[in-house]
Structures are given as C-alpha cells and as structure tokens.
Amino acid sequence: MDREGRDQDRAFWLECWNGTGPFTSDRIGRGTVRIEACAVSILGGMQPGKLAEYVRGAVRGGFSDDGLMQRFQLAVYPDLPASWRYTDRPLDREAEDRARTAFNQLRAMNPAGVVAETTEACDVPFLRLSEDAQGLFIEWQTELMQRLRAGGEPPFMESHLAKYPALAGRLALVLHLADNGIGPVSADAMLKALGWCEHLECHARRIYAPATDNGLTTAHLLLRKRDSLPDVFTARDVYRKCWAGLDDPESVAEALALLADHCQVIEVSETTGGRPSRSYRWVV
C-alpha cells in the first residue's frame, strides 16, 4: 500500500473498518458490482522486526500515521516461553466442533430468530444492550474516557484506545450470539467483552513498545548482528544492509547512542576539514 500508484488502496482499507460504507467495482467482463456495506476481515501474522518498523512510522508521524495500525484491535503479541518441550497431543475435537457450530450458526443467523429490532433511521437489524449490560458499559466507558482525557497517554495510544467502546460493543454482541443468546445483549456477554478489551490493551502496549523504548529493541537487534559488522563501523554501514528493524537511520542512531551509554560501543569522531565523521568501535 506504500508503493506508488496504490494510494487509493489505503483509503479503501481504512473505510472498510467501519463496515457501513458502500463500494462499487467496475470490471471489464464482470460488469458493475456494488456492495452496500463493505466490511473486510483480516487474519494473519507478521515478523516482529517488520512490525516494529511499521509501528515506528505510525508513531512518529510517518506515512503510516493514518489510523490504520489502530484498527487492528484484536492484535496480540505473545511471549515465547524461555524453554521448549516437544508436545504431541490429540486435538480437542469437542471444542473444535463447538467452535465450528458457533461459526455456522452466526453465518446462517436469521435476525428475526434472535429478536433483532429495526427502525426507520437504521435499516440494519440490531440488538440493544440489556439494562445491566448498559450500566456496566457506561461505568467502563466513563473510566476509559477520563483516563484518555487526563493526558497521560501518548497520542497514538489515545487513538487506539478511543476505538475500544465500539470494540467492546461488537465483542459483546458476538459473544452473546455465540452463547445462543436472544434479545438484548446480556451483562455476562458484556463482562466477557470488557475483559477482552483489558487483555487486548496489554498486547497493544507490547506492539507499540518498539517505537517508544528509545532504541532498546533496535539496540538488541544490532547486538545480534555484531559478528556481521567490522570492529569499526558507521551508522551508514548498518542501515545500508537493510536488516529488518535496522534500515532506518533514526532508529540506528538511537540504538548506537544507547549502546554507547551502556559501554557496548565506543564513539570515535574524526575531523578531516569538513563535517566530522563519526564511527563506532565494539568494546571487547
């Protein structure tokens, strides 16, 4: 999406997050296809190095600072265990069958069968929150918004968390229907959804951490590449190799400054009549 000529793609993906806007596609041989409410689901994974590079652009006001990163609200960044043990166990077929049944029921769901409502102002069937669920949501949202208005969160995190009320409502609805609920969304489903939001916030902070740790993550990446660099090298020698997470001059400079502070490298400056050159020597 960052390549030349793909400018419209990015706007399309941003709009699909709402799931309410129409989209028309004109193709030769296929005719005109119109989608009244265009929504896209994305499932996948990403290497930590590439993710850190993208997150830095979103945090530092780069090209990717347009809210796309904040739309991945179900993203998780699990910790790998310190040890590894071979495990061979059969699949839980009962759990698999329950999950498949839930997906199939949601796909074939008839809005009238779950007592969904419609109004003149909204032609999409909907379920309201029960009185208890509404009270839980108001209490949680009040605490969240007061926290965001207090100014203690960086702008990118405020943007991310500000989308959580919509996320909580969507999760509560899906959980309510997956548990064969009908009518207003239950308080139990809302509690589960709010628990999910709390869990996902921890992962969001982990995802944004490489862009806010003042070079710590990049410094670790650079240390791993020590054997691939000469004893004396420059920052240019590092980012020209285009290693994942080490191809941005600003990030490399932060990492080298941090390594110098912790006596892992020694900064060497030479004056040759023009701009002083700066190189680094590994500490043995």
Side-chain angles (χ1 to χ4, degrees):
M1 288 188 292
D2 297 345
R3 295 177 182 173
E4 186 176 354
R6 306 296 295 271
D7 306 336
Q8 297 301 317
D9 292 2
R10 198 174 189 89
F12 169 77
W13 290 105
L14 286 168
E15 187 175 349
C16 285
W17 181 79
N18 294 323
T20 57
F23 177 75
T24 302
S25 175
D26 294 308
R27 296 289 182 88
I28 297 177
R30 297 183 183 179
T32 299
V33 177
R34 179 173 174 81
I35 304 172
E36 293 301 329
C38 187
V40 175
S41 298
I42 299 177
L43 177 67
M46 180 179 282
Q47 302 94 322
K50 291 185 178 295
L51 175 62
E53 180 181 350
Y54 186 84
V55 169
R56 289 190 188 98
V59 169
R60 296 177 178 176
F63 180 78
S64 53
D65 182 19
D66 55 5
L68 181 62
M69 186 67 213
Q70 285 82 356
R71 282 162 166 75
F72 289 94
Q73 294 169 357
L74 296 181
V76 294
Y77 196 138
D79 288 313
L80 290 176
S83 59
W84 185 89
R85 180 172 60 88
Y86 180 79
T87 303
D88 185 8
R89 63 174 179 266
L91 295 175
D92 189 337
R93 294 298 181 185
E94 183 181 352
E96 186 180 9
D97 290 341
R98 289 201 308 269
R100 182 176 290 107
T101 299
F103 283 121
N104 289 335
Q105 287 178 346
L106 289 173
R107 183 180 183 183
M109 182 189 65
N110 180 3
V114 294
V115 198
E117 303 179 39
T118 57
T119 64
E120 293 183 0
C122 180
D123 58 354
V124 178
F126 62 90
L127 294 181
R128 300 180 186 273
L129 297 179
S130 67
E131 185 175 346
D132 290 342
Q134 181 74 39
L136 289 170
F137 179 78
I138 292 175
E139 181 181 357
W140 170 82
Q141 187 182 24
T142 300
E143 188 277 331
L144 173 66
M145 290 305 168
Q146 288 177 346
R147 180 154 56 99
L148 296 182
R149 300 292 175 88
E153 299 285 357
F156 61 87
M157 203 65 203
E158 285 185 3
S159 176
H160 191 99
L161 296 178
K163 293 179 171 59
Y164 270 26
L167 173 64
R170 290 166 178 152
L171 286 174
L173 175 62
V174 171
L175 292 168
H176 176 71
L177 295 174
D179 287 337
N180 299 315
I182 61 174
V185 175
S186 67
D188 181 65
M190 179 56 70
L191 280 173
K192 292 177 181 177
L194 298 181
W196 259 102
C197 288
E198 182 179 352
H199 177 74
L200 291 169
E201 181 179 341
C202 297
H203 283 277
R205 295 186 185 279
R206 172 75 185 275
I207 290 169
Y208 287 114
T212 58
D213 61 2
N214 297 320
L216 181 60
T217 300
T218 315
H220 281 295
L221 293 175
L222 186 53
L223 281 174
R224 295 174 189 169
K225 299 294 185 181
R226 176 169 179 165
D227 294 340
S228 301
L229 290 167
D231 292 336
V232 179
F233 62 94
T234 65
R236 183 183 177 88
D237 294 332
V238 177
Y239 60 75
R240 287 190 66 181
K241 291 183 178 294
C242 296
W243 288 321
L246 294 170
D247 54 355
D248 174 52
E250 184 178 350
S251 299
V252 171
E254 285 184 352
L256 289 170
L258 188 61
L259 291 175
D261 290 341
H262 288 78
C263 301
Q264 296 296 315
V265 297
I266 297 175
E267 183 179 321
V268 180
S269 297
E270 296 181 7
T271 303
T272 57
R275 288 184 63 182
S277 62
R278 181 179 301 171
S279 58
Y280 298 87
R281 179 184 294 114
W282 293 110
V283 175
V284 180

